[in-house]
Amino acid sequence: MQKLVTGLVVGVVSIFAVSAGFALVQQMTRQFTLQSLGANDISVEQALLVAQGAIDACKKDNSVITVAVVDHEGGVRFIMRGDGASPEMVDNARRKAYTARTFRQATSAWMERTALDAVDEKGKPVDLNGQRFLENTIAQKGGMPILWHGDALGGVGVAGSKGGEEADEVCAKAGVDAIADQLF
């Protein structure tokens, strides 16, 4: 009888230990997964730094710009319309940021890749022009992705600089460079 009780106790303790270990592993996995999902995004503070970097770069030629910063899902994290900037520039800047984030490249590079006469590295025609018709994308220079280990944390779009779309993109790059030290 004593062997039966001892065996029963050992069995119950073993089941408890295995169950507790399994629960611990599940909790640790859950916690790790939730942390990684929250970490792969641009913070509000970083969005402000990106916008300020872009504004400072465009301020050199007294441009009145609009800056938009989107997060990893393409949602607006920060948007600012300069004094005297036209209202439609808000949507242009947001769409530039969204396009850069979505395709993980500068909007100028994306425009080349989706042009009607685009070719790949081997000279073969590439038919990606349909991407230009996706909702929220815009075929204008001035958007830069915010990348971290190849993952798009967000994007920045600039519209309205005096130098045109090329200057918009320079200012957007300056915005991304403003937090480059945080994107190790």
Side-chain angles (χ1 to χ4, degrees):
M1 181 72 167
Q2 188 177 1
K3 283 186 175 184
L4 180 63
V5 170
T6 304
L8 190 58
V9 169
V10 168
V12 169
V13 169
S14 297
I15 290 172
F16 176 75
V18 169
S19 297
F22 182 72
L24 179 64
V25 167
Q26 278 189 323
Q27 184 63 26
M28 289 173 60
T29 302
R30 181 174 172 243
Q31 188 175 18
F32 176 78
T33 303
L34 290 175
Q35 287 176 350
S36 68
L37 288 176
N40 290 339
D41 205 348
I42 185 168
S43 70
V44 173
E45 292 82 12
Q46 289 171 322
L48 290 170
L49 290 172
V50 169
Q52 190 61 56
I55 291 167
D56 290 346
C58 279
K59 204 184 281 187
K60 294 174 185 169
D61 68 354
N62 295 323
S63 290
V64 178
I65 63 165
T66 299
V67 180
V69 180
V70 298
D71 61 17
H72 77 282
E73 295 176 340
V76 173
R77 189 59 100 171
F78 178 81
I79 200 157
M80 188 277 316
R81 181 169 62 104
D83 295 333
S86 61
E88 65 271 2
M89 290 298 135
V90 171
D91 194 49
N92 283 1
R94 181 194 60 79
R95 290 173 64 192
K96 288 178 184 187
Y98 180 88
T99 303
R101 184 230 33 117
T102 301
F103 298 103
R104 294 185 177 110
Q105 59 187 296
T107 52
S108 60
W110 176 76
M111 287 171 58
E112 290 175 15
R113 196 171 66 96
T114 60
L116 287 173
D117 59 349
V119 293
D120 65 10
E121 306 82 41
K122 297 177 183 176
K124 290 185 178 181
V126 194
D127 185 17
L128 298 174
N129 188 261
Q131 290 180 353
R132 291 182 177 215
F133 301 103
L134 294 172
E135 187 174 357
N136 292 316
T137 60
I138 191 167
Q140 291 182 0
K141 298 175 185 174
M144 293 295 293
I146 302 168
L147 300 174
W148 179 68
H149 298 292
D151 188 23
L153 299 180
V156 58
V158 175
S161 64
K162 287 183 178 178
E165 292 178 12
E166 287 77 17
D168 287 348
E169 197 154 304
V170 169
C171 295
K173 172 110 174 66
V176 174
D177 290 344
I179 62 164
D181 62 329
Q182 299 175 27
L183 302 174
F184 43 87

